Amino acid sequence: MRAGAEGEAVTEDELYPLLKAYEGRSATAPGIGKDPVNEPMIRHWCEAMGDRNPAYEGPDAIAPPTMLQAWTMGGLSGHTGRTGAHDKLFALLDGAGFAAVVATDCEQEYLRPLRPGQRIDFDSVIETVSPRKRTKLGAGYFITTRMEVRADGELAGTHCFRILKYAPAARSKTRPRRPRPVVNRDNAGFWAGVAEHRLLFQRCASCGKSRFPWLPGCGGCGSAEWDAVEAGGAGTVYSYVVIHHPRFPAFSGPGADGSDGGSMPATGRDGAGPDGTGPDTAGADRASADGASADRTSADGAGSGEAGAGGVVAGGARPYAVALVELAEGVRMVSNVIGVPYDRVRIGMPVRLEFTRADEELVLPVFRALRPGAG
Amino acid sequence: MSMSMSGTGASAPRVGDELPPLTVPITRTLIVAGAVASRDFQDVHHDAELAREKGSPDIFMNILTTNGLVGRYISDHFGPDAVLRRVSIRLGAPNHPGDTMTLTGTVVEAEGDTAVVRVVGANGLGHHVTGTVSVGLPGEAPE
């Protein structure tokens, strides 16, 4: 397997036998269906599915066979009768970084119809744990559980369920980059300054009026003569907006989300910071993206697992503030305010210039709030 | 063969028969109603914000709803006397709101009172579901 070819073999070797030891172990202690088979749940199901099959109505109604698993679900309150084996297996995987989960296969056999009034009980076994596989979603292990569902004590159906427990693939490579600035002869001086971590504005050589952004002529007197002046770096938030929607992952990375990201003092040096990754790039990639729907054994309390994985990609989805910053020299420029949550940016907030590296080839001026959380 | 959706007029299925397609608009309501009706409260099936935090562009249909729709597709065609014996599905591209899934089916086995139908549910991203359904047809007793 390819996964073993890149230094992961040790981890794999250590983890897999531990996982495999759970094969054949009981995943749930004998579970009891929270509700007996009943007409209201059948009707709600049929309404949702648009299923008008008369076999599911009336005095001789049967439950739609495909509801089999629904009778075993823990619902919002979760199951209580789970064995430690399942929890331990999942904790082991969560701890090793395989925290996300998707359902991939469901195979059900219906031995007898379920009818209103019948009591449901079930148990399930961890059948197999696959060796580590590489998937589009990331590396992970397929776990197959097999459940037997009984109605009034008689076997009514079997339910084989396969999930993938995986470590979401790093998406930083596919995260969209911020748009490239358009550099032309009128503003090349500005970008040359930024590359040197200097913020330059123009001052008219004729009338002395400062201007930004860069333009070929003076808006006051029309003179085409100008000098480049380096800003001291002090400024205040003159106005701002917060972008909630639509989300542009490219703009939500370091320096745009209030985090420290990869920004550095104007005098500092490189060190690209942790990169938020863009969830939207997941897009069509998310084959098999059913989120572990059914296996409630995974759901209760495993939210933490999924959230942990989700946190990795959440950076790209946050709202971010775009501010119009008035420099001490009087000119104003549009930029990001960092070092403060997007919802704590305020007009009049003092800020100080920094430079942030958006990616390997783009450096941008940004402004750090001097009183984080002020307001 | 008959295209009757009630199934009452359908003649004995033969290998190669194609079921009429069923087009299912994937609405937000369908996804949420299916999740709730199946008692599946995973946030990715009803909360778009949290679904995005977990790397999905939007909420997506849960596997139980897909299973239910596949079952409905078969019983819509073969009628209320048909008995579902086995449903085996594999998920591929997720069903997000705004998409449309078209279920198609082909009879791949037909023997005695049992037919096996190969089902594919395709959406704008690709195959959401592929699988087989084994269905008993009491009216089609062995000849």
Side-chain angles (χ1 to χ4, degrees):
Chain A
M1 239 182 69
R2 289 175 54 211
E6 297 177 30
E8 296 173 10
V10 173
T11 311
E12 183 182 26
D13 287 346
E14 285 175 359
L15 187 57
Y16 183 55
L18 297 177
L19 301 175
K20 198 164 171 59
Y22 285 88
E23 287 185 353
R25 294 185 63 177
S26 205
T28 55
I32 305 291
K34 293 205 159 189
D35 299 286
V37 178
N38 65 85
E39 289 174 46
M41 282 174 66
I42 293 173
R43 188 166 53 77
H44 299 165
W45 172 280
C46 290
E47 284 179 6
M49 303 302 158
D51 197 332
R52 297 191 192 84
N53 191 337
Y56 308 148
E57 309 171 354
D60 295 325
I62 62 166
T66 51
M67 271 188 91
L68 184 69
Q69 187 185 1
W71 304 115
T72 71
M73 298 287 277
L76 277 174
S77 52
H79 275 304
T80 48
R82 193 183 311 154
T83 66
H86 185 278
D87 284 354
K88 281 178 192 160
L89 173 59
F90 270 59
L92 201 56
L93 286 160
D94 288 344
F98 302 93
V101 62
V102 297
T104 60
D105 298 81
C106 172
E107 183 179 328
Q108 298 181 335
E109 209 159 350
Y110 314 112
L111 304 177
R112 64 188 74 242
L114 295 178
R115 298 181 185 278
Q118 288 178 327
R119 300 262 158 201
I120 298 295
D121 72 275
F122 54 92
D123 50 52
S124 68
V125 170
I126 299 164
E127 275 207 333
T128 58
V129 181
S130 78
R132 189 190 299 181
K133 305 275 190 184
R134 267 175 200 255
T135 75
K136 273 187 186 173
L137 294 172
Y141 300 87
F142 288 94
I143 299 170
T144 306
T145 53
R146 179 184 168 84
M147 179 185 281
E148 294 193 339
V149 181
R150 287 174 294 272
D152 287 343
E154 281 199 83
L155 188 62
T158 60
H159 168 66
C160 247
F161 202 66
R162 198 160 74 118
I163 60 159
L164 171 67
K165 262 304 254 176
Y166 67 100
R171 300 189 197 285
S172 54
K173 284 177 189 157
T174 54
R175 173 173 171 251
R177 301 196 309 172
R178 290 175 78 119
R180 302 296 96 177
V182 175
V183 181
N184 55 37
R185 63 182 177 184
D186 293 329
N187 67 9
F190 169 74
W191 289 106
V194 168
E196 299 170 0
H197 289 194
R198 299 165 68 217
L199 181 62
L200 303 178
F201 60 93
Q202 290 167 296
R203 180 172 291 153
C204 176
S206 174
C207 73
K209 184 177 164 68
S210 298
R211 66 176 186 258
F212 190 90
W214 283 43
L215 290 166
C218 177
C221 71
S223 168
E225 301 301 315
W226 49 269
D227 298 310
V229 182
E230 181 173 358
T236 54
V237 173
Y238 184 80
S239 185
Y240 68 95
V241 295
V242 174
I243 309 294
H244 290 270
H245 196 83
R247 298 176 185 281
F248 298 109
F251 285 90
S252 305
D257 59 358
S259 74
D260 284 349
S263 71
M264 61 208 93
T267 53
R269 262 327 305 164
D270 285 7
D275 217 332
T277 53
D280 289 351
T281 59
D285 251 16
R286 300 217 23 113
S288 302
D290 190 86
S293 44
D295 197 352
R296 298 311 291 183
T297 51
S298 73
D300 325 306
S304 56
E306 283 206 48
V312 176
V313 296
R318 271 171 285 178
Y320 57 97
V322 176
L324 182 62
V325 173
E326 183 167 271
L327 301 181
E329 292 83 357
V331 296
R332 295 173 194 152
M333 69 176 292
V334 174
S335 182
N336 294 122
V337 175
I338 66 163
V340 63
Y342 66 87
D343 58 353
R344 306 297 288 274
V345 175
R346 292 292 182 272
I347 288 171
M349 177 179 271
V351 294
R352 176 139 206 107
L353 174 68
E354 288 187 10
F355 290 87
T356 189
R357 179 171 289 279
D359 53 54
E360 64 280 358
E361 60 185 38
L362 181 62
V363 171
L364 293 170
V366 295
F367 291 86
R368 174 175 296 277
L370 288 185
R371 293 201 302 267
Chain B
M1 66 177 287
S2 165
M3 290 295 166
S4 164
M5 290 304 287
S6 74
T8 50
S11 54
R14 285 176 303 193
V15 172
D17 281 353
E18 290 187 6
L19 277 59
L22 173 66
T23 299
V24 182
I26 308 301
T27 61
R28 205 166 284 278
T29 302
L30 170 61
I31 293 169
V32 173
V36 173
S38 56
R39 313 241 325 125
D40 182 350
F41 297 95
Q42 291 273 337
D43 52 30
V44 289
H45 305 311
H46 63 260
D47 189 325
E49 200 75 12
L50 294 177
R52 276 192 286 268
E53 284 188 8
K54 290 174 183 169
S56 179
D58 204 334
I59 62 169
F60 51 90
M61 182 177 285
N62 72 341
I63 195 169
L64 286 86
T65 302
T66 302
N67 210 38
L69 290 172
V70 167
R72 172 197 155 191
Y73 178 54
I74 297 301
S75 58
D76 271 1
H77 180 70
F78 290 104
D81 293 333
V83 180
L84 292 181
R85 289 184 177 152
R86 187 170 165 276
V87 175
S88 176
I89 60 169
R90 168 163 293 184
L91 294 190
N95 266 342
H96 292 300
D99 209 337
T100 300
M101 176 171 71
T102 302
L103 288 161
T104 53
T106 307
V107 176
V108 293
E109 282 177 45
E111 203 173 319
D113 66 348
T114 303
V116 177
V117 182
R118 169 100 184 135
V119 176
V120 175
N123 64 21
L125 300 174
H127 285 179
H128 166 67
V129 58
T130 54
T132 55
V133 179
S134 179
V135 58
L137 306 166
E140 311 294 342
E143 291 159 25

